[in-house]
Amino acid sequence: MAKLQRIKVVDVMATPSLVSQEINVKGWVRSRRGNKNVSFIALNDGSTINNLQIVVDLSVFSEETLKPVTTGACISVIGQLVESQGKGQTVELIAKEVEVYGTADPDVYPLQKKGHSLEYLREIAHLRPRTNTFGAVFRIRHNMAIAIHQFFHERGFFYFHTPIVTASDCEGAGQMFQVTTMNLYDLKKDESGSIDYSNDFFGKQASLTVSGQLEGELAAMALGSIYTFGPTFRAENSNTPRHLAEFWMIEPEVAFNEIEENMQLAEDFIKYCIQWALDNCQDDLNFLASMYDKELLERLNFVIGNEFVRLPYTQGIEILEAAVAKGRKFEFPIFWGADLASEHERYLVEEHFKKPVILTDYPKEIKSFYMKQNDDGKTVRAMDVLFPKIGEIIGGSQREESYEKLTRRAQEMGVPEKDIWWYLDTRRFGTAPHSGFGLGFERLLLFVTGMTNIRDVIPFPRTPKNAEF
Amino acid sequence: MAKLQRIKVVDVMATPSLVSQEINVKGWVRSRRGNKNVSFIALNDGSTINNLQIVVDLSVFSEETLKPVTTGACISVIGQLVESQGKGQTVELIAKEVEVYGTADPDVYPLQKKGHSLEYLREIAHLRPRTNTFGAVFRIRHNMAIAIHQFFHERGFFYFHTPIVTASDCEGAGQMFQVTTMNLYDLKKDESGSIDYSNDFFGKQASLTVSGQLEGELAAMALGSIYTFGPTFRAENSNTPRHLAEFWMIEPEVAFNEIEENMQLAEDFIKYCIQWALDNCQDDLNFLASMYDKELLERLNFVIGNEFVRLPYTQGIEILEAAVAKGRKFEFPIFWGADLASEHERYLVEEHFKKPVILTDYPKEIKSFYMKQNDDGKTVRAMDVLFPKIGEIIGGSQREESYEKLTRRAQEMGVPEKDIWWYLDTRRFGTAPHSGFGLGFERLLLFVTGMTNIRDVIPFPRTPKNAEF
């Protein structure tokens, strides 16, 4: 076959000047149909959800030649690009040469043309990126990652890699994965019967991080504005459509930002990402909307088009109590001090305000030790961004900058000072007001793609009893 | 203090129209000097390596007021920006109001004005981003990450998150970290005495990934062009300036690329990153060059300015043997089949060609099972990109696309088929030529920053016996 530079399908479709040119495309066969005169191959190369139609004249190619060209086969085609006669596409390729790179035996290839359930596709996660649904989801996933880096880079934030393996356990025990190189068949113990970690790789007990925030704060107190974007881990035995043992988090942290600026940053940030999706992922979004969620685009535009309500938790509780008094039923009880459930968050967003809501100033008992304490002695300067359909999408706070208050609160909440002496040092030396928040990347993707199971927005989900591929 | 929007120092210096305006800056005191009439504060806010000079008129501010303004303290200053009278800066700020956010007791603050050794700074990795050196390194690190995403995004690659926790062990045993939630004091065993992993979190033995390549190939065979950028782990007990237990890798993988296109991609990619550094990190590079490595910029320009030599391994060996014959001494022996040492790689680059070199077609015995086998039966279509000073910076290959050849080679090299059935499936169904490579992010940073210890280019290095912070 003559050496002609291969062109991606997305570029073929975006370049009108290619019409009537001879071009080379390569990709995977999604389907082949036709009659005894002509065969139509739908070719997809992953660059776009759209297939390029290949027209094969059966007076030129024998049916025998086309026999291996079945769903899933990989082919290279040289031909002339022409304006399409049929409907559903603007251009098509009149095949001149067809080379088969790899066949896909129809008797065993798991992805035939017919639709498969998402559950089934999860079992063949190594092949599911070849489907329309997962091609769309993963192209959107890429775009959201790029939007995130772009947003922060444009604003002078520095991307900061916090460690994955850590010897600190600041969120409390029991939910972390242990990391070790010890021979589990020959564990050394000291006189008291405790495992001797001095010979473990890191010389002490080590785990996978649950959050990069504390290290991110160190960086913010030096570089000013930073963000993390990396994997985090929770060993919760939760087999639900909302939990993953391994997921990616984005955690910006900004020196000198108080909670108002933190709220504005969160609102600007999430709107930027969603606008990016609307601008850059139109075909994929339209496909997902048509297949899974008719209200997807409406919901994305709802977020873009509304200013987020800012509301103290206490007022949120009053609104919910008033609703209950008027007969609104909730599964979980409402009272000051309660951790809001998704149904409460969604009531505020979807029914009461009809706008995204940022709830602030939560009771200190239900929030972390590092949040800035308000003067009322009861609440902390936390903020949760609440969205339609999914409830909380972002959680953050202004951080406690006072060494004394932070140390006292850590003690009260049982966080050992020996584990966070380095964190406390930022308050001992040149402390300043600062704020940040965390966004679960897959939570964002659920919202943007309209998918309902978090296992379907990450390539290889890790959940209890599952670490395949 | 009046509420005036704070401006970052980098923006102050880049905005001439601010001169004569009243502005607010916030940051950390690097030093304070002066006489009885005036005090000069060097203020750094992490946005740039350059300090803004704050001029404090001691007829307006008492020496007492300024007492807490010591090295490391965090302050907010309002004042008038003026063109500087002194040398070393273009603008300075005449202080009108000074607020101290946080002090830094000179008796205990570890980062006094005087220079500290890199070894000492490693022990206080939580504070070292506040130094000029690590501020520069981490701003460059950010810029290299952005350049990488930008390069691939512009070219239609999709960022793909491969899993961190994996149940496969494809690079051979012994170098991986085990991940577990089992109670090590109460390990369950089956009748044969083997540990019963059915109750471990993932239901089987799990580890931290050493590479995302195999999963990346799955994605490339669906989406076309992808890249990974994530943490990888090696449990090697190597305490050297070149080894980390946790480091970040970039691994592009491209369907339909053969080795020639793979080489071109690698050359374009690394030149793009280095050009980005030269364009966007000038001040930080100049600082690092002046402090640590006078030839840094020359070396960066050497890479940009030269076409990379493409050379088969066999010819490389011949050149090295000829050098030995002429009396050139190497520590390690040279013969066909040898794995090249850094001294050999550097000889080819720095002395023989005086250009970066891409060495290809290595003996199959010293390369991985997945590399495409050449017809000679002895070599594989591997490629290593060799750089001055550091030797190999990129390693990659065309991948073996034949199911039969790949399966046979995996068997020969002892890779159990049960661990890679999903990988082999890409060759069973719609296989195609494809290629990719891996770049160790910290290896790139060593080259770009001129730092010589890999612990100094990652915020929190993880090495044997060390997982602090």
Side-chain angles (χ1 to χ4, degrees):
Chain A
M1 187 179 281
K3 191 80 182 173
L4 197 64
Q5 180 86 33
R6 169 216 170 200
I7 305 182
K8 288 184 184 176
V9 170
V10 69
D11 296 326
V12 170
M13 292 180 170
T15 316
S17 63
L18 287 176
V19 170
S20 84
Q21 303 280 312
E22 186 167 281
I23 64 167
N24 178 207
V25 295
K26 302 180 179 184
W28 292 269
V29 175
R30 281 294 166 82
S31 66
R32 182 160 69 85
R33 61 183 179 82
N35 52 43
K36 65 178 168 18
N37 300 318
V38 65
S39 198
F40 299 101
I41 302 168
L43 189 79
N44 189 287
D45 69 359
S47 64
T48 161
I49 197 162
N50 300 303
N51 300 327
L52 182 64
Q53 175 158 289
I54 312 289
V55 183
V56 185
D57 182 345
L58 293 180
S59 69
V60 181
F61 293 85
S62 67
E63 183 62 38
E64 195 59 29
T65 317
L66 290 185
K67 214 169 159 206
V69 182
T70 57
T71 297
C74 187
I75 63 175
S76 171
V77 183
I78 289 178
Q80 192 188 26
L81 192 70
V82 299
E83 288 184 35
S84 179
Q85 307 303 310
K87 59 186 179 195
Q89 62 267 330
T90 54
V91 291
E92 58 191 23
L93 192 69
I94 311 297
K96 215 174 101 182
E97 300 176 45
V98 176
E99 181 183 352
V100 178
Y101 283 135
T103 58
D105 183 349
D107 291 336
V108 287
Y109 184 56
L111 287 172
Q112 297 303 328
K113 198 187 156 191
K114 62 179 160 43
H116 299 286
S117 73
L118 295 173
E119 290 74 16
Y120 172 71
L121 292 174
R122 257 170 243 149
E123 289 167 22
I124 51 168
H126 64 307
L127 294 175
R128 67 179 181 168
R130 299 185 183 190
T131 64
N132 280 333
T133 294
F134 289 95
V137 166
F138 295 141
R139 281 186 295 269
I140 292 171
R141 190 177 166 105
H142 160 76
N143 268 284
M144 290 299 89
I146 295 296
I148 288 163
H149 284 296
Q150 197 70 35
F151 175 86
F152 288 119
H153 180 63
E154 284 172 2
R155 281 155 188 77
F157 284 61
F158 301 112
Y159 180 33
F160 193 78
H161 284 133
T162 49
I164 312 300
V165 174
T166 173
S168 317
D169 170 7
C170 305
E171 306 262 335
Q175 306 188 342
M176 296 178 87
F177 290 102
Q178 183 167 1
V179 175
T180 181
T181 55
M182 293 187 302
N183 179 353
L184 300 191
Y185 289 98
D186 186 22
L187 288 169
K188 306 280 183 265
K189 298 192 180 164
D190 62 18
E191 305 90 50
S192 68
S194 297
I195 290 170
D196 176 11
Y197 282 102
S198 65
N199 285 314
D200 202 355
F201 189 91
F202 295 109
K204 58 175 74 168
Q205 198 174 346
S207 315
L208 295 178
T209 184
V210 295
S211 159
Q213 179 198 315
L214 302 195
E215 290 91 350
E217 285 186 51
L218 303 179
M221 299 305 279
L223 300 169
S225 309
I226 66 95
Y227 66 107
T228 72
F229 187 168
T232 50
F233 304 84
R234 302 281 159 90
E236 285 171 54
N237 204 2
S238 302
N239 236 326
T240 84
R242 289 166 62 92
H243 287 88
L244 289 170
E246 171 181 318
F247 57 100
W248 288 66
M249 286 254 283
I250 298 97
E251 298 182 287
E253 197 69 39
V254 190
F256 312 119
N257 265 10
E258 306 203 6
I259 195 168
E260 293 77 15
E261 291 138 328
N262 204 34
M263 287 193 278
Q264 194 59 50
L265 182 71
E267 179 171 349
D268 292 347
F269 169 61
I270 200 111
K271 283 181 167 174
Y272 183 98
C273 291
I274 292 170
Q275 187 65 55
W276 183 289
L278 290 169
D279 292 344
N280 295 282
C281 308
Q282 215 173 352
D283 292 345
D284 289 324
L285 286 176
N286 287 339
F287 173 81
L288 294 174
S290 73
M291 288 292 288
Y292 299 102
D293 184 349
K294 299 281 178 280
E295 287 154 12
L296 176 61
L297 294 168
E298 190 187 321
R299 212 159 44 241
L300 299 181
N301 282 303
F302 168 85
V303 168
I304 304 278
N306 280 299
E307 278 195 28
F308 295 8
V309 173
R310 283 134 165 87
L311 186 79
Y313 167 92
T314 301
Q315 289 181 36
I317 292 292
E318 285 165 10
I319 290 168
L320 289 161
E321 285 174 335
V324 170
K326 282 190 202 147
R328 182 70 159 81
K329 300 274 183 252
F330 292 110
E331 187 182 348
F332 296 98
I334 272 296
F335 56 92
W336 197 96
D339 216 349
L340 296 186
S342 181
E343 57 174 343
H344 305 133
E345 295 169 342
R346 292 183 62 180
Y347 174 82
L348 293 173
V349 171
E350 296 170 21
E351 299 183 45
H352 187 83
F353 288 107
K354 297 189 171 59
K355 290 180 182 178
V357 173
I358 309 182
L359 219 55
T360 62
D361 302 294
Y362 282 74
K364 65 180 181 184
E365 282 73 19
I366 59 172
K367 290 292 181 182
S368 300
F369 75 95
Y370 48 71
M371 296 190 179
K372 185 173 172 69
Q373 298 158 36
N374 282 321
D375 292 339
D376 63 14
K378 298 192 303 180
T379 61
V380 289
R381 220 165 276 182
M383 53 168 247
D384 282 2
V385 180
L386 312 181
F387 263 28
K389 195 172 177 194
I390 61 170
E392 183 200 328
I393 190 161
I394 282 177
S397 76
Q398 185 166 341
R399 315 308 187 186
E400 181 56 69
E401 80 256 28
S402 154
Y403 177 75
E404 289 71 26
K405 288 186 187 174
L406 181 63
T407 309
R408 203 179 317 123
R409 190 71 188 138
Q411 267 166 10
E412 285 170 13
M413 296 185 75
V415 182
E417 197 164 328
K418 70 168 176 48
D419 284 350
I420 54 164
W421 64 270
W422 45 273
Y423 180 66
L424 297 174
D425 264 8
T426 55
R427 275 64 168 182
R428 281 175 77 201
F429 305 121
T431 190
H434 62 287
S435 302
F437 59 81
L439 168 74
F441 189 49
E442 286 76 20
R443 195 66 71 86
L444 172 66
L445 284 168
L446 284 178
F447 186 75
V448 173
T449 63
M451 303 300 282
T452 51
N453 191 316
I454 202 162
R455 293 173 176 84
D456 294 333
V457 295
I458 190 168
F460 301 98
R462 268 68 181 110
T463 53
K465 309 296 174 216
N466 179 30
E468 287 300 321
F469 315 109
Chain B
M1 187 179 279
K3 191 80 182 174
L4 196 64
Q5 180 85 33
R6 169 216 170 201
I7 305 181
K8 288 183 183 177
V9 170
V10 69
D11 296 326
V12 170
M13 292 180 169
T15 315
S17 63
L18 287 177
V19 170
S20 83
Q21 303 278 314
E22 186 167 282
I23 64 168
N24 178 207
V25 294
K26 303 179 179 185
W28 292 270
V29 175
R30 281 295 166 81
S31 66
R32 182 160 68 86
R33 61 184 179 82
N35 53 42
K36 65 179 171 9
N37 301 318
V38 64
S39 198
F40 299 102
I41 302 168
L43 189 79
N44 190 286
D45 69 0
S47 64
T48 161
I49 198 164
N50 300 304
N51 300 326
L52 181 64
Q53 176 158 289
I54 312 290
V55 183
V56 185
D57 182 345
L58 294 181
S59 68
V60 181
F61 292 85
S62 68
E63 184 62 38
E64 196 57 29
T65 318
L66 290 186
K67 216 171 157 200
V69 182
T70 57
T71 295
C74 187
I75 61 174
S76 171
V77 183
I78 289 178
Q80 192 189 26
L81 192 70
V82 299
E83 287 183 35
S84 180
Q85 307 303 310
K87 57 186 180 196
Q89 62 268 331
T90 55
V91 291
E92 58 191 23
L93 192 68
I94 310 298
K96 214 175 104 183
E97 300 176 46
V98 176
E99 181 182 353
V100 178
Y101 282 135
T103 58
D105 182 348
D107 291 337
V108 288
Y109 184 55
L111 287 173
Q112 297 303 326
K113 197 186 156 192
K114 61 179 161 42
H116 299 286
S117 73
L118 295 173
E119 290 75 16
Y120 171 71
L121 292 173
R122 258 169 242 149
E123 289 167 22
I124 51 167
H126 65 307
L127 295 175
R128 66 179 183 169
R130 300 185 182 189
T131 64
N132 280 333
T133 294
F134 289 96
V137 167
F138 295 141
R139 281 185 295 269
I140 293 171
R141 190 176 166 106
H142 160 76
N143 268 284
M144 289 300 86
I146 294 297
I148 288 163
H149 284 296
Q150 196 71 34
F151 175 86
F152 287 120
H153 179 64
E154 284 172 2
R155 281 156 188 76
F157 286 61
F158 301 112
Y159 180 33
F160 193 78
H161 284 134
T162 50
I164 311 301
V165 174
T166 173
S168 318
D169 170 9
C170 304
E171 306 261 335
Q175 306 189 341
M176 296 179 88
F177 290 101
Q178 184 167 359
V179 175
T180 182
T181 54
M182 293 186 301
N183 178 353
L184 301 191
Y185 288 98
D186 185 22
L187 287 169
K188 306 280 183 264
K189 298 192 180 163
D190 63 18
E191 305 89 50
S192 68
S194 297
I195 289 170
D196 176 11
Y197 282 102
S198 65
N199 284 314
D200 203 356
F201 189 91
F202 296 109
K204 57 176 74 167
Q205 198 171 347
S207 315
L208 295 178
T209 184
V210 296
S211 160
Q213 179 199 314
L214 302 195
E215 290 92 349
E217 285 186 51
L218 302 179
M221 299 306 279
L223 301 169
S225 308
I226 67 95
Y227 66 107
T228 72
F229 187 168
T232 50
F233 303 84
R234 303 280 159 90
E236 284 171 54
N237 204 1
S238 303
N239 236 325
T240 85
R242 289 166 62 93
H243 287 87
L244 289 169
E246 171 182 317
F247 56 100
W248 288 67
M249 287 255 283
I250 297 97
E251 297 181 287
E253 197 68 40
V254 190
F256 310 119
N257 265 11
E258 306 204 7
I259 194 169
E260 293 76 17
E261 291 138 329
N262 204 34
M263 287 192 278
Q264 194 59 50
L265 182 70
E267 178 171 349
D268 292 347
F269 169 61
I270 199 112
K271 283 181 168 174
Y272 183 97
C273 292
I274 292 171
Q275 187 65 54
W276 183 290
L278 290 169
D279 291 345
N280 295 281
C281 309
Q282 214 173 355
D283 292 345
D284 289 324
L285 286 175
N286 287 340
F287 173 80
L288 294 174
S290 73
M291 288 291 287
Y292 299 102
D293 184 349
K294 300 279 178 280
E295 287 154 11
L296 176 60
L297 294 168
E298 191 187 321
R299 212 158 44 240
L300 298 181
N301 282 303
F302 168 85
V303 168
I304 304 279
N306 280 299
E307 278 194 29
F308 294 8
V309 173
R310 283 135 166 87
L311 187 79
Y313 167 92
T314 301
Q315 288 181 37
I317 293 292
E318 286 165 9
I319 290 168
L320 289 161
E321 284 174 336
V324 170
K326 283 190 201 147
R328 181 69 158 83
K329 300 274 183 253
F330 292 111
E331 189 183 347
F332 296 99
I334 273 295
F335 56 93
W336 198 96
D339 216 348
L340 296 187
S342 181
E343 57 173 345
H344 306 132
E345 296 169 341
R346 292 183 62 180
Y347 174 82
L348 292 172
V349 171
E350 295 169 23
E351 299 182 46
H352 187 83
F353 288 107
K354 298 188 170 62
K355 289 180 183 180
V357 173
I358 310 182
L359 220 53
T360 62
D361 301 294
Y362 282 72
K364 66 180 180 184
E365 283 73 20
I366 58 172
K367 291 291 182 184
S368 300
F369 75 95
Y370 49 70
M371 295 191 179
K372 185 173 172 70
Q373 298 158 36
N374 283 320
D375 292 338
D376 62 14
K378 297 193 302 181
T379 60
V380 289
R381 221 164 276 182
M383 54 167 246
D384 282 3
V385 180
L386 313 181
F387 263 28
K389 195 173 175 193
I390 61 170
E392 183 200 328
I393 190 162
I394 282 177
S397 75
Q398 186 166 341
R399 315 307 187 188
E400 180 56 68
E401 80 256 29
S402 153
Y403 177 75
E404 289 70 27
K405 288 187 185 173
L406 182 63
T407 309
R408 201 178 318 123
R409 191 70 188 138
Q411 267 166 10
E412 284 170 13
M413 297 184 74
V415 181
E417 197 164 328
K418 69 168 178 46
D419 283 351
I420 54 164
W421 64 270
W422 45 272
Y423 179 67
L424 297 173
D425 263 7
T426 55
R427 276 65 167 182
R428 281 175 76 200
F429 305 121
T431 190
H434 62 288
S435 302
F437 59 82
L439 167 75
F441 189 48
E442 286 76 20
R443 195 66 70 87
L444 171 67
L445 284 167
L446 283 178
F447 186 75
V448 172
T449 63
M451 303 300 282
T452 51
N453 191 317
I454 202 162
R455 294 173 175 84
D456 295 334
V457 295
I458 190 167
F460 301 99
R462 268 69 181 110
T463 54
K465 309 298 174 214
N466 180 29
E468 287 299 321
F469 313 109

